């Protein structure tokens, strides 16, 4: 029988495989989509990775997900007297488990109640069917990164079409009525370089020189409330609440980012946790 105490995360946690070695792991807050690795006591640092110190003084090593061979969440389950448990602690002689069954009579007779769940401590020789459960975290992360890249992280954007080619553009004309286009090395003869930043690949166009000029943005609903998407943070969709109910903002504990001139409540939520996610296109030439 496999012994959970011999693993990097004995009973519950996340594990990543880097260059064939197993490490404790977690998502790198502030460095999404990176994953952080923690070498065990006495083990060398992962080769080629720079450390980042945590609040408790431990050194974690961020790594890009495409460099990992695996990243998964680990739990252990077992049975005692043929009833199912999730392992929450392990010693050389005992396993502690959270009851997963539904037999209330069994639970009250043999287990201790902590909050809304029942738990027990059992001799290892009485435990059967000890098994490791793995939840893959790496492939869903790759899928999310691709999904966000496809929509440019849901940020509002402006574009201009010049001679049939589409370029990123300013969302507003400057004081002289010209529109800045980011063209890069391509230098159209009928456009002039932006004198404010001539080396950045920015060129100025009059509205009549453009085939189209438009803005794109995304909206969604969360918990029934309407939001404008403004980007992503650590792989989660950030939105600004556009409804008029202070009660909704208070009830769902939206983040208050208001200033003296504007009221602004925001939320960060997983892409799969929203509904009615929709892209909109606004014609900017129509107002010129």
């Amino acid at each position: 029988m496999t012994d959970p105490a011999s693993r990097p995360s004995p009973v519950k946690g996340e594990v990543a495989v880097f260059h064939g070695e197993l490490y404790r792991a977690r998502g790198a807050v502030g460095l999404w989509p990176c994953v952080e690795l923690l070498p065990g006591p006495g083990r060398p640092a992962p080769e080629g990775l720079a450390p980042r110190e945590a609040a408790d003084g431990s050194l974690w090593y961020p790594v890009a997900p495409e460099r990992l061979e695996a990243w998964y969440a680990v739990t252990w389950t077992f049975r005692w007297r043929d009833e199912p448990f999730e392992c929450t602690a392990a010693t050389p002689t005992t396993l502690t488990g959270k009851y997963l069954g539904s037999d209330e009579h069994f639970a009250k007779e043999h287990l201790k109640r902590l909050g809304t769940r029942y738990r027990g401590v059992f001799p290892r020789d009485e435990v059967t069917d000890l098994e490791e459960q793995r939840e893959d975290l790496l492939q869903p992360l790759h899928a999310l990164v691709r999904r966000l890249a496809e929509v440019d992280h849901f940020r509002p954007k402006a574009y201009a079409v010049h001679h049939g080619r589409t370029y990123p553009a300013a969302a507003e004309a400057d004081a002289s009525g010209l529109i800045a286009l980011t063209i890069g090395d391509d230098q159209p003869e009928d456009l002039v370089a932006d004198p404010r930043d001539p080396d950045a690949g920015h060129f100025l166009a009059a509205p009549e020189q453009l085939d189209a000029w438009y803005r794109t943005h995304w909206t969604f609903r969360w918990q029934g409330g309407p939001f404008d998407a403004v980007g992503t943070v650590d792989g989660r969709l950030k939105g600004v609440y556009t409804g008029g109910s202070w009660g909704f903002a208070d009830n769902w504990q939206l983040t208050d980012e208001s200033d003296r001139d504007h009221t602004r409540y925001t939320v960060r939520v997983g892409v799969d946790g929203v509904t009615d996610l929709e892209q909109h296109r606004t014609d900017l030439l129509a107002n010129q």
Side-chain angles (χ1 to χ4, degrees):
M1 182 169 59
T2 306
D3 184 349
S6 67
R7 294 303 183 95
S9 179
V11 293
K12 190 172 185 178
E14 297 176 15
V15 176
V17 181
F18 178 68
H19 291 176
E21 298 290 334
L22 271 67
Y23 298 89
R24 283 180 55 194
R26 66 184 183 187
V29 176
L31 292 178
W32 189 91
C34 288
V35 178
E36 289 185 315
L37 310 180
L38 180 66
R43 294 185 60 197
E47 184 178 354
L49 301 182
R52 187 168 73 151
E53 186 173 358
D56 62 2
S58 60
L59 294 180
W60 293 76
Y61 293 79
V63 57
E66 59 268 20
R67 299 182 65 187
L68 295 175
E69 290 111 85
W71 178 35
Y72 51 89
V74 172
T75 58
W76 290 82
T77 58
F78 62 86
R79 303 186 80 86
W80 182 73
R81 298 193 177 181
D82 207 33
E83 290 290 333
F85 291 83
E86 178 185 312
C87 189
T88 59
T91 73
T93 59
T94 64
L95 294 179
T96 301
K98 177 175 64 178
Y99 183 48
L100 301 179
S102 58
D103 188 332
E104 192 76 14
H105 177 74
F106 169 87
K108 289 181 178 179
E109 182 178 358
H110 298 288
L111 308 175
K112 290 184 178 180
R113 183 164 186 165
L114 295 176
T116 60
R117 307 302 295 265
Y118 289 96
R119 299 176 186 271
V121 180
F122 315 103
R124 282 183 177 254
D125 58 7
E126 296 182 10
V127 167
T128 61
D129 302 318
L130 179 62
E131 294 182 354
E132 182 188 49
Q133 316 294 326
R134 295 184 180 184
E135 177 189 357
D136 181 27
L137 301 176
L138 189 58
Q139 293 309 312
L141 177 61
H142 285 319
L144 178 59
V145 170
R146 288 193 299 269
R147 185 175 179 186
L148 295 182
E150 288 172 359
V151 294
D152 199 17
H153 287 211
F154 298 102
R155 288 186 294 268
K157 290 285 186 178
Y159 300 93
V161 181
H162 178 258
H163 293 335
R165 295 187 62 180
T166 301
Y167 303 98
E172 296 180 353
D174 65 15
S176 61
L178 298 178
I179 301 154
L181 281 61
T182 302
I183 293 179
D185 295 332
D186 184 13
Q187 300 183 17
E189 294 181 357
D190 55 342
L191 300 184
V192 296
D194 187 343
R196 295 165 297 186
D197 197 358
D199 298 324
H202 295 165
F203 289 79
L204 299 176
E208 58 270 17
Q209 292 178 284
L210 299 177
D211 306 323
W213 179 35
Y214 59 91
R215 175 181 181 270
T216 62
H217 76 284
W218 294 78
T219 60
F220 65 88
R221 299 187 77 85
W222 177 74
Q223 302 298 344
F227 291 82
D228 278 342
V230 293
T232 58
V233 179
D234 283 340
R236 297 171 71 82
L237 182 61
K238 180 176 181 179
V240 176
Y241 177 55
T242 56
S245 170
W246 179 87
F248 178 91
D250 181 63
N251 182 58
W252 292 108
Q253 298 182 333
L254 303 186
T255 301
D256 188 351
E257 297 184 5
S258 305
D259 56 32
R260 66 171 65 183
D261 299 317
H262 301 93
T263 300
R264 175 182 163 109
Y265 293 100
T266 66
V267 69
R268 298 177 185 178
V269 62
V271 176
D272 293 332
V274 306
T275 61
D276 304 302
L277 183 60
E278 184 178 358
Q279 187 183 54
H280 306 268
R281 175 167 165 166
T282 303
D283 184 5
L284 300 177
L285 278 181
N287 296 323
Q288 298 300 305

